[in-house]
Amino acid sequence: MSNADSIRLAPPPTPWGRIGAVGLILAVVVSIMVMAFAWPSVTSAVKSVPLAVAGPDAAVQQVEAALAESAPDTFAFVDASDRADAVSQIETREVYGAIILGDAPEVLTSSAASPIVSQLLTGIAPKLAAQLNAALAAQGVALAEPVSVPATDVVPLADTDPRGAGLTAAAFPLTLGGMLGGILASILIVGAWRRVVAITVYVVVAGFSLTGILQGWFGALQGDYLVNVGAIALTLLAISATIVGVASLVGRAGIAVGPVVFLLIANPISAATQPLEFLPQPWGLIGQWFPPGAGATLLRDLSYFPDAPTTFPWLILTGWAAVGIVLALIGHFRAGVRMDVENEIAPAATHVGAHAA
């Protein structure tokens, strides 16, 4: 072999047309990312907030009409038989608060469900008191003291996280953590089943670690520690298993499913930072079918609303994790079949070549 043959030629410079195309594609990607993250905040509005109202029919109709006139489309009114029924609806997350009319008027809120809505309802209490006093005065009723309407936080946030910042901030790292596990397992580990085992170990260890930080250190999570570990681990697994499954099936190009599906699509509509009713519909409801939304809802329910039904988010997370593992299984067997075919072809080709020689 000559010296010239041993010299490795440097790759040719990238054509200017391709450079321009890459720059244009990057600009489009950045624009899409900005739109995806900013769109929910820009388009969100306080609307269709479920609110229970209990009391005499005439008083209920009057208050609902007044609220509908002063704040159109802000509330979606739900009937409640009495205060106990209203409290039950709040604790099961059917409504965000309630207005109790009658002999002991009261506004019920739930800062654990949404600090924003809780503040909104708290501001209604003095207006409701003024309305009731005006109605009594018009009827010629003389009172020793004006009617007052207290605002009671039925399900308050914990003292360790009085603004709910820790609970809200936990959602985005869970999405990134699930993506990180799936991407690194797909890049660093060869073999679909080995990747599944790797992310399983990862999510279990991360589940205990993150729950220890969020619940034991920051106090952002409440409730049973081990159940929270399971919720966090399953959220991480739902995201990472999907990435591993798609990558095992179609190759490394499948890794892109993480940033596209979970970061650009699912995370902005997860309703982790605001009520899903605030998002343009039906995107708020659609967001609950993805791991970021289901995981955020599940952690909030486990922490503050033990009476709320949690079957749906558990099923959503389990479904995504199962689909990812099934895809990895399909990719594993496809790779095995491909290898068997190659092993059969190679000896045959060698045999033919020997006869030809």
Side-chain angles (χ1 to χ4, degrees):
M1 181 180 295
S2 65
N3 292 335
D5 293 332
S6 62
I7 297 176
R8 297 182 62 183
L9 297 177
T14 303
W16 289 107
R18 183 179 300 176
I19 293 174
V22 170
L24 180 61
I25 292 173
L26 290 176
V28 171
V29 170
V30 171
S31 300
I32 293 174
M33 291 179 64
V34 171
M35 287 190 298
F37 281 94
W39 171 73
S41 299
V42 173
T43 58
S44 65
V46 182
K47 58 185 178 181
S48 302
V49 176
L51 177 67
V53 184
D57 292 341
V60 168
Q61 294 175 5
Q62 184 177 1
V63 168
E64 290 181 354
L67 289 175
E69 182 179 356
S70 61
D73 301 325
T74 298
F75 300 106
F77 299 108
V78 179
D79 293 333
S81 57
D82 52 24
R83 187 184 189 279
D85 183 30
V87 170
S88 176
Q89 292 187 41
I90 294 174
E91 292 176 342
T92 53
R93 297 201 71 181
E94 298 175 47
V95 297
Y96 285 86
I99 295 177
I100 310 301
L101 302 172
D103 297 334
E106 185 181 10
V107 172
L108 305 181
T109 68
S110 173
S111 58
S114 171
I116 300 174
V117 177
S118 180
Q119 293 177 4
L120 174 64
L121 295 177
T122 301
I124 290 178
K127 298 178 181 179
L128 179 60
Q131 181 181 349
L132 293 175
N133 285 305
L136 292 173
Q139 297 173 8
V141 178
L143 298 175
E145 294 182 0
V147 174
S148 62
V149 179
T152 305
D153 196 346
V154 176
V155 186
L157 288 161
D159 294 337
T160 51
D161 188 23
R163 298 180 180 177
L167 185 60
T168 300
F172 188 60
L174 287 182
T175 301
L176 291 181
M179 289 173 50
L180 180 65
I183 291 173
L184 291 182
S186 300
I187 293 176
L188 301 178
I189 299 175
V190 178
W193 276 120
R194 286 174 170 81
R195 292 171 180 171
V196 171
V197 172
I199 61 172
T200 301
V201 174
Y202 161 67
V203 302
V204 170
V205 175
F208 279 97
S209 176
L210 294 179
T211 306
I213 294 172
L214 293 172
Q215 185 166 353
W217 185 5
F218 294 160
L221 298 181
Q222 311 299 315
D224 187 275
Y225 173 79
L226 291 179
V227 177
N228 287 333
V229 169
I232 289 178
L234 188 56
T235 301
L236 295 173
L237 182 63
I239 297 173
S240 58
T242 303
I243 296 174
V244 165
V246 176
S248 299
L249 189 64
V250 303
R252 288 195 174 184
I255 294 175
V257 72
V260 173
V261 174
F262 299 123
L263 192 61
L264 296 183
I265 298 176
N267 188 71
I269 59 176
S270 65
T273 60
Q274 58 185 328
L276 62 89
E277 289 83 6
F278 287 14
L279 295 171
Q281 296 304 320
W283 295 108
L285 295 175
I286 292 175
Q288 298 303 299
W289 287 80
F290 289 89
T297 298
L298 181 59
L299 286 176
R300 187 177 295 273
D301 287 351
L302 293 176
S303 291
Y304 292 104
F305 300 92
D307 295 332
T310 57
T311 302
F312 179 76
W314 281 116
L315 287 177
I316 291 298
L317 296 175
T318 302
W320 278 88
V323 167
I325 293 174
V326 168
L327 291 178
L329 178 63
I330 295 173
H332 170 75
F333 282 110
R334 285 186 60 184
V337 171
R338 190 184 310 115
M339 185 176 297
D340 291 340
V341 171
E342 292 175 353
N343 291 336
E344 292 177 1
I345 292 177
T350 303
H351 181 72
V352 172
H355 279 284

